[in-house]
Amino acid sequence: MLKSALRDSLIYGFATVLSRGMAFFLLPLYTHVLTVSQYGAYDLLITLGALANLTIALEISQGLARHWAEAADAREKKRLASTALFFSLGMYGFWLAVALWFAEPLTALLLGDSEYLPAFRMGLLFIAANGLYLLLLNQFRWQLRSRAYASVSVAYALLTVCFAALFCVLLDMKLVGVMLAQFMAAASASLACFYMLRSSYGPLFDTRLLKKMLRFSAPLVPAGFLVFLNLYVNRLALNHFMSLEEVGVFGIASRIAGIAALLIIGIRAALTPLIYENHQRPETPREIATLFGWFLAFAFPACLFLSVFAREAILVLAKPAYAEAASLVIYLAPAMLMSQMYVFAPGVVIAKKTYWQFWLTLVSATVSVVANLALVPLAGVTGAAIATLASALVFFLGWVCISQRLYPVPYAWSSVFLAMLCFAGLSSLGVWIDASEVPLWPSIIAKALLLLAMVVAVVALKLLPVADLRKLVSSLTGRLRPSSGK
């Protein structure tokens, strides 16, 4: 499993980095064609999309994933996939019709200005198309078709860049153009996915299998709403207590901090189906712990890099109006990672006790809501960032504690804790360097030394067992190297 996880993680990770890298070029484009308030409106539309994708289809994709490996034969797998697809089509179609009917009051409620109505309507179309795209894209994961997943992900990002250049730059359609570009890319990618997966679907709908999938995924729906509160109540609080401009600043900081999440997306995409298939093997817990250590060995330096060089990134990517976003990355980058790191603690999903996800998410969402309500009026965007970090920490620690009772994994907690202390100290030094207004090049050199110190720390703490990694890479490259026949 370890070799398969590493191989597929590299494929998923490379595709994600490449696709997100192309999409990252949209950041300076968006910040230059949109005002800070318009970018805040865009960020809230993406927030609405996150809520919709978590709740509308009742997380049927998760139910499909859990039962896919246990399906008796290829025909049952086809019935599972087809049932999930038709159910999702029906749910998104119904939601879209209702949302378009009430578009005007919803625009006033969410964005506060009728000038955003055309963009809001286009955003609704994007949300529906994107929901179907995610369902179809994840089907490649359940079928262990990592290369197909990668190619479609990259194509989707490339289409987004091309459509954005057309509608935002050439046609100067502003926020409407941004949302139209997102919709066209999602719709095109969905059609491509369906064509590549056409043998996986048929005119089949099995209510028995639907109930079976929903029994697993139904507890995830309220949990999904709570996840939404965890991740996005900060935007709602900023929009309520401050303005769309603060939402825009926070959104830029989240985009930069979100680069840290690229480290885990490939691992998460590869590891989840492999754990479902291999969790009964006695060596699997040890292999999960090894992967966790390797991941943290890269995650700590990556988060530190984003935190200490955020000011320079803002200067390159955005207007001076977004400068305040740099100080938020130190909180948001670790929060982004911790909100996804539950994949290394699989006990809850292996034991099918998904109700624990609901209760843990409820606790962390409560922390998020209370912290945002208390801190945003006092500290603005900084308060929202601190609240986000606190919520992510509560969820991750709670998830690991419950998972360890259900499926113990031998993590090296002492090394992890010491690495966290090193990260906190070095990132604080980075903040002090920025606050001291050190000249540009001495500041960059000092920050590079901080980054080097973090790398030395993770190696010294043996989070990255170099000898084991060398053996594994050698084994993988040996398989790829053509044999010399005699």
Side-chain angles (χ1 to χ4, degrees):
M1 188 193 79
L2 197 57
K3 294 179 182 179
S4 298
L6 181 61
R7 182 197 63 227
D8 288 350
S9 294
L10 291 174
I11 295 173
Y12 288 125
F14 175 77
T16 302
V17 169
L18 187 59
S19 60
R20 293 287 181 90
M22 286 188 287
F24 196 67
F25 285 114
L26 294 173
L27 192 58
L29 187 152
Y30 288 168
T31 56
H32 284 83
V33 302
L34 303 177
T35 66
V36 180
S37 295
Q38 288 173 336
Y39 192 88
Y42 163 74
D43 202 61
L44 284 179
L45 287 172
I46 298 301
T47 298
L48 177 63
L51 173 62
N53 294 151
L54 283 168
T55 57
I56 290 173
L58 304 181
E59 292 279 39
I60 191 70
S61 179
Q62 298 300 317
L64 172 62
R66 185 64 187 90
H67 294 290
W68 180 262
E70 298 177 354
D73 51 35
R75 179 168 176 77
E76 184 174 358
K77 289 185 175 182
K78 190 170 186 176
R79 297 183 76 85
L80 277 167
S82 301
T83 300
L85 177 61
F86 284 119
F87 177 77
S88 298
L89 281 169
M91 296 297 287
Y92 275 107
F94 175 76
W95 173 86
L96 182 61
V98 173
L100 286 172
W101 183 269
F102 293 102
E104 290 189 32
L106 288 173
T107 303
L109 177 65
L110 184 65
L111 304 179
D113 197 322
S114 60
E115 73 168 289
Y116 295 117
L117 179 58
F120 184 81
R121 287 173 172 157
M122 190 57 62
L124 295 177
L125 292 174
F126 159 67
I127 290 168
N130 191 59
L132 294 174
Y133 162 70
L134 293 175
L135 174 75
L136 292 165
L137 182 68
N138 280 321
Q139 186 62 34
F140 291 122
R141 290 175 59 201
W142 318 143
Q143 296 181 5
L144 303 181
R145 296 172 60 181
S146 55
R147 290 180 176 82
Y149 180 102
S151 62
V152 173
S153 298
V154 173
Y156 175 63
L158 184 59
L159 285 170
T160 304
V161 172
C162 292
F163 284 129
L166 172 63
F167 298 129
C168 299
V169 178
L170 297 180
L171 300 180
D172 194 27
M173 297 174 66
K174 304 294 183 183
L175 183 56
V176 174
V178 171
M179 301 316 302
L180 178 58
Q182 301 269 12
F183 165 67
M184 292 293 292
S188 301
S190 296
L191 292 174
C193 284
F194 184 76
Y195 178 78
M196 296 170 68
L197 290 164
R198 61 191 182 279
S199 61
S200 301
Y201 299 109
L204 305 168
F205 190 86
D206 191 318
T207 55
R208 178 186 62 84
L209 293 178
L210 176 63
K211 292 177 181 178
K212 186 177 179 180
M213 287 186 284
L214 290 179
R215 273 196 298 270
F216 178 85
S217 66
L220 303 179
V221 176
F225 176 74
L226 294 172
V227 167
F228 166 80
L229 284 180
N230 263 342
L231 297 178
Y232 297 105
V233 71
N234 38 47
R235 273 87 161 176
L236 302 178
L238 288 169
N239 190 37
H240 177 74
F241 291 111
M242 302 294 174
S243 69
L244 281 176
E245 290 191 3
E246 279 74 17
V247 178
V249 168
F250 191 89
I252 289 294
S254 296
R255 298 293 184 280
I256 294 174
I259 298 173
L262 296 179
L263 291 170
I264 199 169
I265 290 177
I267 295 173
R268 188 182 64 181
L271 192 58
T272 300
L274 289 171
I275 287 176
Y276 284 156
E277 291 197 359
N278 296 279
H279 66 272
Q280 294 180 338
R281 295 170 61 239
E283 60 268 31
T284 295
R286 179 183 55 80
E287 292 177 346
I288 293 173
T290 299
L291 285 171
F292 184 59
W294 292 352
F295 166 76
L296 290 180
F298 289 98
F300 280 118
C303 282
L304 184 65
F305 175 82
L306 291 173
S307 300
V308 300
F309 286 104
R311 184 180 66 171
E312 289 77 10
I314 295 292
L315 292 175
V316 173
L317 296 173
K319 300 176 183 178
Y322 294 95
E324 190 179 0
S327 63
L328 309 181
V329 178
I330 189 175
Y331 307 106
L332 294 178
M336 294 286 184
L337 275 181
M338 282 191 290
S339 67
Q340 303 293 323
M341 280 163 46
Y342 61 85
V343 69
F344 292 105
V348 172
V349 291
I350 287 174
K352 299 183 181 179
K353 297 184 181 295
T354 50
Y355 57 83
W356 276 115
Q357 181 168 349
F358 170 79
W359 291 112
L360 289 170
T361 311
L362 176 61
V363 171
S364 57
T366 302
V367 170
S368 182
V369 171
V370 172
N372 273 283
L373 293 177
L375 296 177
V376 168
L378 296 176
V381 288
T382 301
I386 294 173
T388 302
L389 177 59
S391 171
L393 182 62
V394 167
F395 178 81
F396 176 67
L397 293 179
W399 182 277
V400 170
C401 289
I402 298 299
S403 181
Q404 285 293 83
R405 293 172 52 193
L406 301 171
Y407 189 79
V409 174
Y411 305 107
W413 285 121
S414 58
S415 296
V416 173
F417 179 71
L418 291 173
M420 287 177 60
L421 291 179
C422 291
F423 172 81
L426 294 172
S427 58
S428 298
L429 287 175
V431 172
W432 177 81
I433 291 172
D434 284 340
S436 301
E437 298 184 358
V438 178
L440 180 62
W441 284 109
S443 171
I444 290 177
I445 293 172
K447 292 176 180 180
L449 292 174
L450 295 179
L451 190 62
L452 178 61
M454 189 74 249
V455 173
V456 171
V458 297
V459 173
L461 293 169
K462 298 183 179 180
L463 287 175
L464 184 63
V466 179
D468 290 348
L469 183 59
R470 188 184 298 119
K471 290 179 182 178
L472 185 56
V473 172
S474 175
S475 174
L476 288 173
T477 55
R479 286 190 171 190
L480 294 175
R481 191 182 300 120
S483 60
S484 56
K486 291 185 179 181

